[in-house]
Amino acid sequence: MLDVQSKLLNKVLPVLERHLTEHGDKFSIRGFVVVCLAKTIRKLPLPKFNARLQKLVNLIVVQGLRSRDLSHREKARKALVKLVDEISPRFLSVIFEEMKGQLTRGFQQHVYLFTVHALL
């Protein structure tokens, strides 16, 4: 079992994280990759799951919700909704805390409130 977990952590997850964003003129979150990452990290033990979940939410928030481009924020918001559907609503507090820590200035506070409403 440890061998499978180490393969997931060292081989599969880095590849999925590289494909999380599509590179155009700016970064945009891919929702289907978020679902794949969520299904993969669900198989990990709880401490590793929590660490990877926090990292995933941080990537979505920093690269998606902090963007000034509305389409990037909408994709990131939809990705967070898919993530909550996949991992269960009991981890909403982790997502809210990460968003609260990252979205602190100006328009980001409005994005935070709108995203909380969308997730609920």
Side-chain angles (χ1 to χ4, degrees):
M1 185 68 169
L2 263 118
D3 189 42
V4 173
Q5 290 176 1
S6 67
K7 295 275 192 220
L8 280 176
L9 285 171
N10 299 326
K11 302 279 183 184
V12 176
L13 288 176
V15 171
L16 287 173
E17 286 171 357
R18 274 197 313 266
H19 292 289
L20 182 62
T21 57
E22 59 186 58
H23 303 282
D25 50 354
K26 289 189 176 184
F27 294 107
S28 182
I29 301 295
R30 292 179 172 156
F32 64 92
V33 178
V34 170
V35 172
C36 292
L37 271 164
K39 287 184 180 197
T40 305
I41 64 173
R42 247 188 5 200
K43 306 299 182 194
L44 298 173
L46 192 59
K48 291 181 182 179
F49 169 77
N50 285 333
R52 287 295 177 153
L53 176 63
Q54 189 172 6
K55 183 178 178 182
L56 177 60
V57 172
N58 188 12
L59 283 171
I60 294 170
V61 170
V62 169
Q63 294 184 357
L65 292 178
R66 287 176 111 187
S67 173
R68 289 207 176 263
D69 188 1
L70 179 62
S71 65
H72 292 231
R73 290 195 309 259
E74 287 175 351
K75 285 182 182 180
R77 194 173 296 114
K78 287 178 184 177
L80 280 175
V81 169
K82 289 178 185 178
L83 177 66
V84 169
D85 285 343
E86 191 58 45
I87 61 170
S88 99
R90 72 176 196 204
F91 294 103
L92 275 173
S93 62
V94 174
I95 295 170
F96 290 159
E97 287 298 319
E98 190 65 34
M99 286 189 336
K100 186 177 182 180
Q102 294 291 333
L103 302 173
T104 57
R105 297 189 190 137
F107 78 96
Q108 294 173 355
Q109 292 174 339
H110 301 286
V111 171
Y112 169 68
L113 290 174
F114 190 76
T115 305
V116 167
H117 184 268
L119 288 173
L120 291 177

